[in-house]
Every structure is written in C-alpha cells, then in structure tokens.
Amino acid sequence: MAKIETSVFYLKGNPELKAEFQAIGVRCHKLWSGKGIMTFLRIVFRNRKVIFHAHLPRAELVATLFGIILRIRVVLSKHNAEQFAPGIPKNISRFLAKFVNKHSSAIIFISEAARSFAIRNNELEERCLRKTHVVHYGIPDIQSESTLRKNNNLLNKSILKIGTLSRLEKQKNLGILISACYKMKEKGIKFSCDIYGRGSLEEELKKQIHDSGLQNHVRLKGFTHDKYNMLVDLDLFVLTSHYEGFGLVLLEAMSAKVPIVASNSEAAIEVLGEESPSLFNLKNSSSLYDKLLEMGCNKILRKQVLQDYEKRLKLFSVEGMFRQIRNIYSI
C-alpha cells in the first residue's frame, strides 16, 4: 500500500488542532503567509499527482481556484446540512456551491442527510451527482479505564448528571434543553446539566438560565479538549439540534458508553437508527423532558441502548472511512 503524505494548510483563526496533527506526523502551515505559500507551491510542483482535499466553504473556493489554475485534482468534503455559505444571499451561496462542485473531481458528503439537503437546496446539479460519495465519520474503539469503571455503576447516585457538547448557536437549539431542565427542577428532580462549547448565543443562554433560576443546576462550561473524560462522567448525553451534518459527537458518546437522548433530525436517525429509543420528537415541546425521565429512570432501557450502540459503532469504523476515502483518491 503506497504511503499517503499529508500536509494541512489552514486559512484563518487559531489552529487549535495543530498540536494534534503534528503529534501524528502531519505538518501544518498557515496558507496566507510567505512561508505557507512557498511550501504549498513546492509540494504542488514536486508531485503533480497531489490532491487538494478541502473542508468548509472558504477552503473549497480557494482549493477550487488553485485547482483550476494549477490543473490539480480537488476533492471536497461537505460536513454541513445548511446552505453552502451561511450569512450571504441564498442565490450567491447557491452560485458558489455549483461553481466548486462543477470543478471538483469528487464530492464527499459525511451523511445522506447532508447530500439530501444539498439536492433539496438546489446546490448540487444533476450532472454532479455521479461524483458524489457518502462517507460516514469513523471512530476508534476506545475503552479507557474510566469508561469501564463508569459502566459498572451507571446512575448509581442521587443526582442525574446530564451534559452536551455543542456550539452555542441557533442550529443547536439549546434553549429547549434549558426549558426541560426548568421543568425537572419544578418537579423536584435532582440533576445537573453541563453545556460544553462556545458561540454567539452565550449571553442569551446565560440569561435564560438566570431567568429560570437554574444557576445551581445548569452550567456553561466553555470549550474542552478533554471530551472523553467529560463524557464518561455523564449519566445522559443530550443532543438537541434542529439539524446536523452528521453528529460525530453521537459516535463519541456511544464509544464512551453513555446513553443518549437526541432530537430526531435526519442525521441523528442515520447514526442511531430509525427505531432507536434514544430519539425524541423535536416538534413536541415536552418530548425532551419525557425522554430524559424515561432514559434516566429505566435501567433496562439504558442497558438495551448501550447494547445497541455496540452494534451501531461497527458501521462507523476508522478503517472503513479510510478505505472509502482512499478509493475515492484512486478514481
């Protein structure tokens, strides 16, 4: 098997994953710098079989333009079930989406939900369908000591520990979780709820927590790199999104053996299965509260879903994801 050399070029912001990439031997460069551009061009001209694999709209546009100019293959990854470029007029976003799709060699969607959205939103022309592929995220089989210890005494405590990992944005619908927590408090249920993440709605969510008198129950914990230790400390993991491109965090919770309560978005159904008892109806305002109580109090149900997760995780292996992407590179 031929070796794949990988370099990552980031366009903006703080490269939070740089240390993790470098730890596995992947070099990271800021593209818009003298050194970054020189390194980029050196890689391209040293190996004309190089592939640009772009993630997110800005990178897709940059890679596509370089691909056209330098006649290099471009592979696009589509991770979101939302318009190509949120925040700009829909017709411009649609034009840009069609432009990059037309000039790409292959288009990888991380879920059927993401591909279906692109088709419904008229961002993916029929002539481009033949070069689309759905490649689900893969996740390694991680069995830490803390995971194993936690599984032996699930919910063997007086306080129900609920948590989520989420951007604090409208799409994530975190207000419904705070509302469900308020109802739990009113019913005298002992619980805590930790929300990990950051985003533009932080102040709005803080206000909702304060106005609901939940300061001692619901906490905004900010961003964390230590996801697994956070997950294994929970009794229930909650995902309340209106929609997701995929929902990798669901696989992470399944791998950490934490029972899940998730909204019945297309992507969550794709990951958990259409008949999963972990799903609640997003159109029913009391459905989340009911599902939290059901999953929190029913030991038999929790055991059932954890057994189901073991089977579902086999569909999302790192090896399978790598094999599919490697095959796409070889086309």
Side-chain angles (χ1 to χ4, degrees):
M1 184 180 291
K3 182 181 177 182
I4 296 179
E5 252 185 72
T6 305
S7 294
V8 171
F9 291 86
Y10 60 95
L11 303 181
K12 64 183 182 69
N14 179 28
E16 291 176 344
L17 298 176
K18 185 175 181 178
E20 294 178 47
F21 276 124
Q22 290 178 331
I24 58 174
V26 176
R27 295 188 179 121
C28 294
H29 313 274
K30 185 176 182 179
L31 181 60
W32 303 130
S33 66
K35 186 178 178 181
I37 287 288
M38 291 302 295
T39 302
F40 178 80
L41 292 175
R42 186 166 57 249
I43 290 172
V44 170
F45 290 115
R46 188 180 62 196
N47 181 3
R48 298 301 294 172
K49 292 184 179 179
V50 70
I51 295 173
F52 296 161
H53 191 152
H55 163 57
L56 294 178
R58 190 185 303 239
E60 290 183 39
L61 283 167
V62 171
T64 298
L65 292 171
F66 273 124
I68 293 170
I69 295 168
L70 300 172
R71 298 188 177 184
I72 297 295
R73 288 182 62 203
V74 175
V75 175
L76 308 178
S77 281
K78 307 284 189 177
H79 290 238
N80 298 324
E82 59 187 7
Q83 83 173 42
F84 176 75
I88 69 173
K90 188 174 289 188
N91 59 334
I92 298 176
S93 174
R94 190 171 290 139
F95 169 80
L96 293 174
K98 289 180 177 180
F99 171 75
V100 297
N101 291 338
K102 176 184 176 182
H103 292 283
S104 66
S105 299
I107 306 167
I108 299 173
F109 289 92
I110 62 168
S111 66
E112 289 290 354
R115 178 161 65 177
S116 296
F117 177 86
I119 294 170
R120 288 197 308 268
N121 205 42
N122 196 26
E123 293 188 347
L124 188 65
E125 295 179 316
E126 188 172 345
R127 61 180 171 173
C128 291
L129 284 173
R130 60 180 175 76
K131 57 184 175 182
T132 65
H133 310 265
V134 172
V135 179
H136 292 131
Y137 281 131
I139 190 166
D141 182 17
I142 297 175
Q143 283 289 330
S144 66
E145 289 184 13
S146 55
T147 301
L148 295 172
R149 283 200 305 271
K150 189 244 184 201
N151 292 335
N152 290 329
N153 61 4
L154 183 65
L155 274 181
N156 185 23
K157 53 176 82 77
S158 59
I159 296 178
L160 179 65
K161 297 188 73 172
I162 301 167
T164 189
L165 286 159
S166 174
R167 288 182 293 113
L168 310 185
E169 302 295 344
K170 187 175 181 181
Q171 167 202 348
K172 302 300 183 176
N173 194 31
L174 291 167
I176 192 176
L177 175 57
I178 296 172
S179 296
C181 287
Y182 175 75
K183 194 168 183 179
M184 292 174 72
K185 177 196 168 193
E186 292 292 289
K187 296 292 184 181
I189 298 167
K190 294 182 179 180
F191 74 96
S192 66
C193 179
D194 289 338
I195 299 172
Y196 287 84
R198 56 193 175 207
S200 63
L201 297 185
E202 182 173 349
E203 293 305 316
E204 182 178 318
L205 294 171
K206 281 182 179 177
K207 185 176 187 305
Q208 185 182 357
I209 292 167
H210 180 271
D211 292 348
S212 302
L214 291 169
Q215 299 94 319
N216 295 327
H217 300 272
V218 181
R219 297 173 294 182
L220 299 181
K221 303 281 282 185
F223 183 79
T224 179
H225 281 289
D226 193 12
K227 291 189 286 187
Y228 275 95
N229 281 326
M230 169 264 172
L231 285 167
V232 298
D233 194 41
L234 297 179
D235 297 317
L236 296 177
F237 176 80
V238 184
L239 187 69
T240 55
S241 305
H242 287 295
Y243 61 89
E244 287 284 343
F246 179 80
L248 175 61
V249 71
L250 293 175
L251 294 187
E252 291 169 336
M254 291 161 72
S255 182
K257 298 190 180 298
V258 183
I260 294 166
V261 173
S263 57
N264 58 343
S265 66
E266 288 182 69
I269 291 171
E270 200 167 331
V271 174
L272 295 168
E274 195 168 356
E275 302 301 320
S276 173
S278 293
L279 298 168
F280 72 91
N281 185 353
L282 202 50
K283 294 180 180 179
N284 182 341
S285 59
S286 64
S287 182
L288 173 57
Y289 168 77
D290 294 340
K291 182 61 69 173
L292 288 171
L293 288 194
E294 179 186 24
M295 195 69 75
C297 298
N298 190 330
K299 292 183 180 179
I300 295 175
L301 179 60
R302 290 197 304 276
K303 184 177 179 181
Q304 174 193 330
V305 298
L306 291 177
Q307 289 173 343
D308 186 51
Y309 295 165
E310 288 184 23
K311 298 174 187 174
R312 297 292 300 179
L313 281 170
K314 293 176 182 178
L315 303 174
F316 304 100
S317 70
V318 170
E319 293 78 11
M321 178 183 68
F322 173 76
R323 188 168 52 250
Q324 287 177 276
I325 292 178
R326 190 183 185 92
N327 289 340
I328 292 167
Y329 287 167
S330 301
I331 293 174

